Amino acid sequence: MTFPLLPQATERLLDDVATGHQLSSAGRLGTALAQRADSSVLLDRGVYEAATALTTSRSKELLKRLQELRADGDPDATWGGRSERRCLPAEKLANVRAEDRAAALERLCALGGAERGLESICPSCTSRSFVPLDQTSSSPQCPGCGAVSPYQSGGAPTAVHYRLDSFTDRAGHNGLLPHLLVIAELCRRKPRSHFSPAPTSPSKTAPRRRRTSSVSGTGRSSPAK
């Protein structure tokens, strides 16, 4: 007897409920991220919260914050330009318990999802820069104006900062981390399971309308959708 693998069973289930299906762009990104690293690490204490805190804010979140500042009468609430990837020191992870912060960030680095570095604040153009530890030098320069840019500001001690790699940051930016967290928890409960993040399919009853579910899959129990 030949039994289908769980990925094949998932494909068959999707074929049974739709005229066609494929992963959405977010789903392809989530699948690639899950293949690169074990998503179960998101279940470790503080790791998901740390990754979420390091995710670069989306434009709509920045706009919401700007509107709040203007409503409060903040005269300096003028933002513009591009948004750099967010970097933070361990002590700035407000949603992670203090005793878990360092371990969570180091766990992300060990999996290749984050990197360590120093933050440089240029005294000339005031721009902030993240410099990976292996690229630091004794005389740092601002990548924008070229002025000498020390790894500290206002006499504050130099602290190691952490930043998500561009791939993980893009996944977080597209809201995929909660999907992968749910998949990791479902697989923890039912190890013999397979799930696909964000599949998109046209409906059998309405061919021109596309339907997207956050997670579809197969396991020993009924399919999770």
Side-chain angles (χ1 to χ4, degrees):
M1 298 179 66
T2 301
F3 294 93
L5 299 176
L6 290 179
Q8 296 171 328
T10 302
E11 294 289 314
R12 180 59 183 270
L13 284 173
L14 291 172
D15 286 337
D16 288 343
V17 298
T19 56
H21 63 87
Q22 62 181 357
L23 286 176
S24 64
S25 57
R28 291 194 296 271
L29 181 60
T31 299
L33 184 62
Q35 291 174 345
R36 193 185 73 165
D38 185 2
S39 298
S40 65
V41 69
L42 294 173
L43 299 176
D44 292 350
R45 185 176 296 174
V47 173
Y48 171 76
E49 292 80 2
T52 301
L54 290 177
T55 299
T56 305
S57 299
R58 304 182 68 165
S59 57
K60 63 180 182 181
E61 295 172 355
L62 294 174
L63 177 59
K64 179 181 178 181
R65 179 59 180 154
L66 175 60
Q67 291 172 338
E68 291 174 351
L69 289 173
R70 285 180 173 172
D72 292 339
D74 186 349
D76 296 325
T78 55
W79 297 349
R82 60 181 182 177
S83 178
E84 298 289 348
R85 269 185 287 161
R86 178 178 293 172
C87 67
L88 293 172
E91 61 268 20
K92 291 293 184 66
L93 300 182
N95 294 330
V96 183
R97 296 194 308 178
E99 60 268 29
D100 297 330
R101 291 169 183 168
L105 290 167
E106 288 299 319
R107 186 80 171 116
L108 283 173
C109 290
L111 292 171
E115 58 184 336
R116 309 172 193 87
L118 301 178
E119 185 181 49
S120 172
I121 304 177
C122 180
S124 179
C125 67
T126 70
S127 63
R128 293 175 177 264
S129 304
F130 177 87
V131 184
L133 285 183
D134 60 354
Q135 298 179 20
T136 57
S137 65
S138 58
S139 181
Q141 289 185 321
C142 172
C145 68
V148 175
S149 182
Y151 298 125
Q152 60 183 21
S153 176
T158 302
V160 174
H161 284 59
Y162 293 83
R163 182 177 72 172
L164 295 179
D165 75 303
S166 58
F167 189 64
T168 306
D169 188 59
R170 182 183 171 195
H173 183 84
N174 282 272
L176 282 168
L177 295 182
H179 289 219
L180 297 180
L181 178 68
V182 170
I183 290 175
E185 175 59 21
L186 291 173
C187 289
R188 184 190 67 82
R189 298 182 184 185
K190 297 290 184 180
R192 293 177 58 190
S193 302
H194 171 76
F195 299 92
S196 296
T200 302
S201 62
S203 168
K204 279 186 174 180
T205 57
R208 295 184 180 180
R209 182 179 178 183
R210 300 185 69 81
R211 301 185 303 176
T212 302
S213 61
S214 59
V215 176
S216 289
T218 55
R220 292 187 298 177
S221 58
S222 58
K225 297 185 179 180

